[in-house]
Amino acid sequence: MSFRILAAALLLLAAFVAPVQAAVADELAEVTRRHHAGQSDAALARADKALAANPKDAQMRFLKSVILADTGRTSEAQTILQQLVQEYPELAEPHNNLAALYAASGDYGRSRSELEETLRLKPGYAPAQENLGDVHVLLAAQSYAKALRLEPYSATLPKKLALARQIGAAPPPKAVDPARPAPSANP
């Protein structure tokens, strides 16, 4: 294929892809808008309709997981995020949100592993760095509590445990807000 034919084919392809990308962005915005307006069931229905047409849409699947988590359907959200990290291991955001769900269920070890992977993928990702700090504090509180059970007359452990619990009383690790840009992989 000559360069001109290749260039013409690429221009033609771009002419078809641009409207599709705009339609996908519009659909993501509409699902997000409905969720933020308190219409989560309608948002999920719209997301499901979009996913029926394009089941591999990573952005819509990610957004659906956020809505599910926000509405207390954490098991379903976790399943979607686990699938996303398997299919798109290069995306940091699903790892971060999976870590937040693990932390919320008290599984701080798995949460820490997911956050470390998030930061390996995206070293400057501030939400994941903050979440990792939160998980470390929660792990420290667990360790101090266990040490205190083993050594109940310790002079230092109660203070350390109280401080860790005070810091850990802050909100748990955070998932990526649906208003932030969703993952960009979209095969």
Side-chain angles (χ1 to χ4, degrees):
M1 185 179 286
S2 75
F3 177 72
R4 284 184 209 191
I5 295 173
L6 180 60
L10 289 175
L11 285 174
L12 185 59
L13 179 62
F16 286 111
V17 170
V20 170
Q21 288 175 336
V24 168
D26 289 347
E27 198 62 24
L28 286 165
E30 180 59 20
V31 170
T32 300
R33 184 194 68 73
R34 288 181 184 207
H35 177 57
H36 284 180
Q39 303 168 353
S40 297
D41 289 340
L44 285 170
R46 187 99 182 220
D48 286 339
K49 183 178 176 187
L51 288 170
N54 186 8
K56 292 292 186 180
D57 183 342
Q59 292 175 311
M60 188 61 75
R61 290 165 63 197
F62 179 80
L63 180 55
K64 181 178 177 180
S65 76
V66 170
I67 297 168
L68 289 168
D70 285 351
T71 57
R73 295 165 64 180
T74 55
S75 175
E76 293 170 80
Q78 188 172 321
T79 298
I80 290 171
L81 291 168
Q82 288 167 337
Q83 291 168 349
L84 284 171
V85 300
Q86 289 297 313
E87 295 171 32
Y88 305 101
E90 72 280 4
L91 295 177
E93 293 82 356
H95 287 282
N96 181 74
N97 284 22
L98 191 53
L101 292 178
Y102 288 152
S105 72
D107 192 345
Y108 305 128
R110 284 177 78 185
S111 179
R112 181 184 59 213
S113 294
E114 287 297 333
L115 290 166
E116 288 169 351
E117 180 63 12
T118 302
L119 291 167
R120 187 190 68 73
L121 293 167
K122 200 172 185 179
Y125 193 39
Q129 194 65 56
E130 179 181 358
N131 287 344
L132 184 58
D134 291 342
V135 167
H136 281 160
V137 168
L138 294 167
L139 284 166
Q142 280 184 341
S143 292
Y144 292 144
K146 184 175 183 178
L148 189 57
R149 284 191 302 274
L150 296 170
E151 191 178 325
Y153 302 107
S154 169
T156 59
L157 286 171
K159 294 174 188 171
K160 290 178 179 181
L161 179 57
L163 181 58
R165 285 182 173 162
Q166 180 184 358
I167 294 170
K174 297 154 221 52
V176 175
D177 187 300
R180 292 185 186 188
S184 58
N186 208 1

